[in-house]
Amino acid sequence: MAEHRRRILLTGATGNWGRATLRELRRRDAVDVVAFALPTPAERRVLAEFDDMTNLTVVWGDLTNAADVARAVAGVDVVLHVGAVVSPLADAHPALARRVNIGSMQHIIAAVKALPDPGAVEVVGVGSVAETGDRPAPHHWGRVGDPIRVSQFDEYGQTKVVAERLLVDSGLPRWAWLRQTGILHPGLLGIRDPIAMHTPFAGVMEWASDEDSARLLAGIAEGAPEEFWNATYNVGGGEDWRLTNWELQTTLGAAMGVRDIRAWYDRNWFALKNFHGHWYTDSDLLQDLVPFREDTLADAVARAMAASPASVRSAGKVPAWIVKHLVMRPLTRKARGTLHALRRGRADEIAAHFGSKDAWSAIGDWSTFEPPEPSRTPTQLDHGYDESKPTDDWDASDYHDAARFRGGELLSPDAPRGDAGALLVWRCAFGHAFAASPRLVLTNGHWCPECVRDSGQYGVQAEQNPFLAQLEG
């Protein structure tokens, strides 16, 4: 009898990560691939690159259409759900982001549950480092289980929080959630959007390349070890990929031949806070289970440059004042731009990005700038329960401890011992009752869904929530 070839459904196949994954799967040719894509001229042009991929089938459909999703899920062994509306598009079109990012996860879960044997299908959902929001030093190290804490005005991050809740507490027998970090891909160099100035120079990110990220999905497609399933992971490139946002600016600038990237900007165009990113203490866990890291930062930057248009590759040859005044400054004055908020007196945006108008005025020019050097020594937040205790031994006492550390309480009178996926009822310090599994609360860092949506009030919430208070100040 012929060996069964695993059949993989890949959503988001025409995006940067999706295309890299198709290229990797074409090289391996070890599985059959179903690419799910919208039947638009643009997506058809992208997929034309793969006309010679003999193990590829394209299913045309819409992630917001339950029937289309069910049709695509039928007959597959693994769902790699990469498709999403991401920033900056999600910032400009938040309703679309909610409809696609949340609705698609609902449809995938429903489609798998409707199958004769849901346990025969593995579902991999993709989240984001944006779920844990702004993590400036000294809180720039983190791990899965840290507080879910989305930055203000980040609808993409909020949609991924909801999608993660849906999958983790779906009851599906075999799932995994990947909190993807920033992906260094060719398109990154060409982004011309106000979001470019939302990144504080002192912020950090543990990046990954598009090809390493593709190797991760290909490895899962071919077959991840049993211990991989029913868990959530931070995706990161490891030690060499841990950069400050300032280091990223200077690295990309140097690749474009820019002598001094500071000549492109005024220092006070960039936000002081309210972005996202941290370095991971736990990203090696995923590498140990599904090895995927091969790229160096230098290799990925060189590859991105080679694939970029001539205007990007030759940017360093353009007089800096032209780039500054004709390209960069206009971005700051567009809607969602940092100077736009100041010029229009948008108090909530000014407070989110700078703290206050006075804080913005005090930023100073480049003469007083010092490159940030956050500590390279890993630290950990307290998660509020005995983490040395095996999950199979968790009981009501562990859940009560976790709830108290979050300023709330466990309402369910009966909490089955060792059942991390059981839905229990909890109440936060502000009286909101909600259902969540111990896994979602203890190991994933979720708490009250109503409070997490109210990102402008995290400081107030932290006064009643010691778990969240660790990230204040």
Side-chain angles (χ1 to χ4, degrees):
M1 179 181 295
E3 183 179 353
H4 172 70
R5 282 174 61 89
R6 283 161 64 86
R7 187 171 173 84
I8 314 302
L9 172 62
L10 175 67
T11 71
T14 59
N16 291 299
W17 191 5
R19 294 198 306 274
T21 302
L22 285 179
R23 291 170 190 142
E24 181 65 24
L25 290 171
R26 177 168 57 187
R27 284 192 292 270
R28 298 191 184 198
D29 194 26
V31 296
D32 292 324
V33 183
V34 177
F36 187 84
L38 279 168
T40 65
E43 300 214 5
R44 290 181 187 276
R45 283 194 298 271
V46 170
L47 289 178
E49 174 189 340
F50 304 97
D51 284 346
D52 64 341
M53 188 170 169
T54 58
N55 60 330
L56 175 66
T57 301
V58 178
V59 172
W60 302 104
D62 188 334
L63 283 169
T64 66
N65 184 297
D68 288 349
V69 172
R71 179 165 49 88
V73 166
V76 304
D77 300 292
V78 186
V79 178
L80 301 177
H81 183 33
V82 179
V85 174
V86 302
S87 298
L89 181 62
D91 298 333
H93 301 281
L96 176 65
R98 289 191 292 270
R99 192 164 67 251
V100 174
N101 299 352
I102 297 173
S104 62
M105 181 54 68
Q106 291 172 323
H107 296 330
I108 288 171
I109 292 169
V112 174
K113 283 188 171 182
L115 295 172
D117 182 10
V121 180
E122 301 163 351
V123 178
V124 178
V126 173
S128 171
V129 64
E131 294 179 64
T132 42
D134 198 29
R135 296 288 298 268
H139 310 302
H140 58 289
W141 284 96
R143 57 190 173 127
V144 173
D146 285 356
I148 295 297
R149 185 178 178 272
V150 183
S151 294
Q152 285 184 262
F153 314 114
D154 185 356
E155 193 59 35
Y156 170 66
Q158 290 285 1
T159 64
K160 287 301 182 179
V161 168
V162 176
E164 180 174 320
R165 292 187 78 104
L166 288 169
L167 183 60
V168 173
D169 282 352
S170 65
L172 293 179
R174 293 174 71 79
W175 60 269
W177 185 260
L178 306 178
R179 291 184 188 164
Q180 177 62 283
T181 188
I183 298 180
L184 204 160
H185 59 85
L188 183 70
L189 302 177
I191 292 176
R192 295 291 178 262
D193 186 90
I195 197 173
M197 281 71 177
H198 291 186
T199 55
F201 292 139
V204 305
M205 184 83 77
E206 182 175 327
W207 290 80
S209 75
D210 54 347
E211 291 197 6
D212 276 355
S213 299
R215 277 185 279 272
L216 170 61
L217 293 187
I220 296 169
E222 291 180 343
E226 190 61 33
E227 57 267 34
F228 167 80
W229 298 106
N230 300 341
T232 297
Y233 302 94
N234 281 320
V235 182
E239 182 176 1
D240 293 341
W241 288 81
R242 292 172 187 149
L243 305 176
T244 65
N245 292 338
W246 176 248
E247 287 174 322
L248 180 69
Q249 285 276 349
T250 56
T251 297
L252 297 182
M256 289 184 284
V258 181
R259 280 187 173 184
D260 186 349
I261 197 70
R262 292 174 295 184
W264 278 14
Y265 314 109
D266 282 349
R267 182 179 166 193
N268 63 5
W269 292 354
F270 284 79
L272 298 176
K273 58 179 186 171
N274 196 57
F275 195 60
H276 55 258
H278 56 278
W279 294 339
Y280 302 131
T281 63
D282 61 353
S283 60
D284 289 348
L285 296 176
L286 186 56
Q287 167 69 12
D288 292 341
L289 290 170
V290 188
F292 64 95
R293 296 173 181 165
E294 295 183 15
D295 271 335
T296 66
L297 176 64
D299 287 344
V301 170
R303 191 169 60 242
M305 285 299 304
S308 295
S311 59
V312 171
R313 297 196 304 273
S314 61
K317 298 178 181 179
V318 179
W321 66 269
I322 292 179
V323 177
K324 178 177 181 177
H325 293 289
L326 299 185
V327 180
M328 299 304 176
R329 187 187 295 273
L331 293 181
T332 70
R333 294 176 173 177
K334 288 184 176 181
R336 296 182 290 108
T338 50
L339 295 190
H340 180 271
L342 288 156
R343 288 158 64 95
R344 298 296 180 91
R346 297 186 182 277
D348 55 348
E349 293 182 36
I350 294 169
H353 294 309
F354 301 107
S356 67
K357 191 169 183 179
D358 287 343
W360 173 78
S361 298
I363 290 174
D365 60 20
W366 289 113
S367 66
T368 59
F369 177 73
E370 293 290 337
E373 295 184 357
S375 172
R376 293 272 171 178
T377 302
T379 58
Q380 289 190 342
L381 299 181
D382 186 354
H383 288 175
Y385 67 98
D386 183 1
E387 295 184 62
S388 67
K389 194 172 181 180
T391 305
D392 289 344
D393 292 339
W394 283 357
D395 58 24
S397 65
D398 300 290
Y399 310 150
H400 284 295
D401 286 346
R404 281 192 294 269
F405 193 59
R406 289 150 178 77
E409 59 184 322
L410 175 69
L411 297 182
S412 292
D414 298 311
R417 182 184 183 91
D419 188 353
L423 284 180
L424 306 177
V425 180
W426 317 70
R427 183 162 55 205
C428 75
F430 300 90
H432 307 134
F434 57 95
S437 68
R439 178 187 288 116
L440 190 73
V441 172
L442 275 64
T443 61
N444 277 51
H446 288 252
W447 186 232
C448 173
E450 190 165 342
C451 287
V452 81
R453 282 194 296 269
D454 194 6
S455 54
Q457 295 297 307
Y458 286 162
V460 173
Q461 296 169 25
E463 295 174 5
Q464 306 296 324
N465 183 337
F467 182 51
L468 194 59
Q470 296 175 99
L471 296 175
E472 294 297 319

